[in-house]
């Protein structure tokens, strides 16, 4: 049984909610009282997350949603409204890391494949949820950027570009929609132990050695857990952050403080 929580009464849509950070965000939002639409392209994993949430007394539903497909975004945002009511919290979380190549070796197709998910997906979901928030006169959009949207590194330049774009989109939308009662903020995770990082390590070396190397990168001595990010998302989703818009929350174990 979920008692009255920090986001009780809210309706949250989480993209990429089957695994990793999105999965944790969906669980935390439900535990704090929101009705949660878990969306993803991995249907079995997404449905499993919903089942776990419902078993613990939370309210959730699963919808297949490829964020790069505008028609699907339009259809799913409407269906969520019909089932739970207007969406008041949007967590734009779905993203891919893309190719590990230097910029001069990246093809136009590789650029488009990544940008279609990481940037256009955020645009489509925001675009189709905003009318519901405007009608309600309230809402919180939370965009998952990355410390890679702030800092340079030599491995995945396309991903850097996409996360910088998400950061900028968040600030611009914060300005456009502040007068409508809608807040837009971004979260910049550091290295978080999710399938995203695990798959990268599997294809680029040894997962155990990689974990130790990632741990050592962080002043706090370890990589983060998905819940470390979900707690930041809960803050932006809740009324505790009612005076906060256009800002960025770095959650990175101190990595970027150097
Ligand atoms: N893990 C990290 O270290 C880290 C660091 C910085 C930022 N981030 C950001 O946090 C967010 C979540 O990362 P994660 O580590 O949990 O990733 P993950 O790969 O573990 O999970 C991402 C989820 O998004 C889904 N997804 C992929 N393409 C999709 C699409 N087209 N439509 C809908 N869903 C799709 C996947 O199926 C998966 O469930 C991403 O935006 C990522 O860029 C992660």
């Amino acid at each position: 049984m979920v008692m009255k929580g920090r986001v009780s009464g809210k309706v949250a849509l989480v993209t990429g909610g089957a695994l990793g950070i999105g999965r944790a965000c969906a669980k935390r939002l439900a535990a704090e009282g929101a009705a949660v639409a878990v969306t993803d392209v991995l249907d079995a994993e997404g449905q499993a997350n919903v089942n776990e949430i419902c078993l613990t007394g939370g309210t959730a539903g699963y919808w297949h949603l490829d964020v790069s497909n505008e028609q699907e975004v339009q259809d799913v945002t409407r269906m969520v409204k019909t089932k739970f009511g207007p969406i008041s919290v949007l967590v734009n979380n779905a993203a891919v890391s893309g190719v590990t190549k230097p910029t001069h070796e990246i093809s136009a197709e590789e650029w488009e494949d990544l940008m279609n998910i990481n940037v256009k997906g955020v645009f489509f979901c925001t675009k189709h949820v905003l009318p519901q928030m405007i009608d309600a006169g309230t809402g919180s959009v939370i965009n998952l950027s990355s410390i890679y949207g702030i800092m340079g590194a030599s491995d995945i330049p396309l991903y850097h570009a996409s996360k910088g774009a998400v950061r900028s989109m968040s600030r611009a939308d914060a300005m456009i929609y502040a007068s409508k009662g809608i807040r837009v903020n971004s979260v910049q995770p550091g290295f978080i132990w999710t399938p995203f990082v695990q798959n990268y390590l599997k294809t680029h070396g040894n997962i155990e050695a990689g974990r130790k190397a990632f741990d050592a990168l962080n002043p706090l001595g370890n990589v983060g857990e998905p819940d470390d990010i979900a707690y930041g998302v809960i803050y932006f989703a809740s009324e505790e952050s009612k005076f906060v818009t256009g800002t960025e929350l770095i959650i990175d174990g101190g990595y970027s403080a150097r």
Side-chain angles (χ1 to χ4, degrees):
M1 182 70 186
V2 176
M3 308 297 281
K4 189 164 167 48
R6 294 162 70 190
V7 290
S8 282
K10 294 185 187 291
V11 175
L13 186 151
V14 181
T15 68
L19 300 176
I21 291 168
R23 179 173 180 269
C25 289
K27 279 195 151 58
R28 285 277 131 233
L29 285 160
E32 291 292 345
V36 182
V38 176
T39 67
D40 207 291
V41 290
L42 297 177
D43 298 334
E45 292 85 345
Q47 187 60 56
N49 194 21
V50 166
N51 295 346
E52 286 171 29
I53 290 170
C54 294
L55 272 176
T56 55
T59 302
Y62 177 74
W63 283 268
H64 178 94
L65 174 60
D66 177 348
V67 294
S68 66
N69 181 327
E70 185 168 21
Q71 190 60 54
E72 277 184 25
V73 172
Q74 193 167 7
D75 292 345
V76 169
T77 50
R78 281 189 185 146
M79 286 189 274
V80 171
K81 183 183 176 194
T82 302
K83 185 165 172 76
F84 290 136
I87 297 163
S88 45
V89 175
L90 170 64
V91 183
N92 278 314
N93 166 79
V96 293
S97 58
V99 292
T100 306
K101 286 183 180 176
T103 300
H104 72 281
E105 291 178 10
I106 294 171
S107 68
E109 194 185 4
E110 286 166 338
W111 168 277
E112 277 168 24
D113 285 349
L114 180 131
M115 291 295 171
N116 280 345
I117 297 171
N118 291 14
V119 181
K120 217 196 250 183
V122 173
F123 160 60
F124 285 156
C125 291
T126 306
K127 173 182 166 181
H128 288 286
V129 167
L130 276 169
Q132 296 187 25
M133 293 181 169
I134 291 168
D135 284 351
T138 185
S140 174
V141 178
I142 303 144
N143 293 329
L144 270 291
S145 171
S146 168
I147 53 167
Y148 270 24
I150 302 172
M151 310 172 71
S154 56
D155 47 2
I156 42 176
L158 263 182
Y159 180 79
H160 279 264
S162 72
K163 292 297 169 178
V166 168
R167 194 179 162 210
S168 293
M169 288 159 73
S170 309
R171 288 183 175 212
D173 284 342
M175 294 301 99
I176 299 170
Y177 299 102
S179 64
K180 310 275 185 207
I182 298 163
R183 301 181 293 105
V184 187
N185 293 288
S186 64
V187 178
Q188 278 69 29
F191 299 105
I192 310 298
W193 196 243
T194 66
F196 188 92
V197 170
Q198 292 154 8
N199 293 337
Y200 178 87
L201 289 175
K202 270 184 213 152
T203 48
H204 295 88
N206 176 310
I207 194 155
E208 276 164 33
R211 164 87 199 215
K212 282 197 182 122
F214 272 126
D215 281 344
L217 287 173
N218 301 299
L220 285 179
N222 55 275
V223 292
E225 298 166 3
D227 263 348
D228 292 324
I229 305 306
Y231 285 119
V233 167
I234 287 284
Y235 171 66
F236 284 137
S238 77
E239 296 307 307
E240 293 156 19
S241 60
K242 64 182 170 30
F243 196 52
V244 182
T245 196
T247 194
E248 299 168 355
L249 178 58
I250 298 174
I251 305 176
D252 71 346
Y255 180 83
S256 62
R258 289 186 181 88

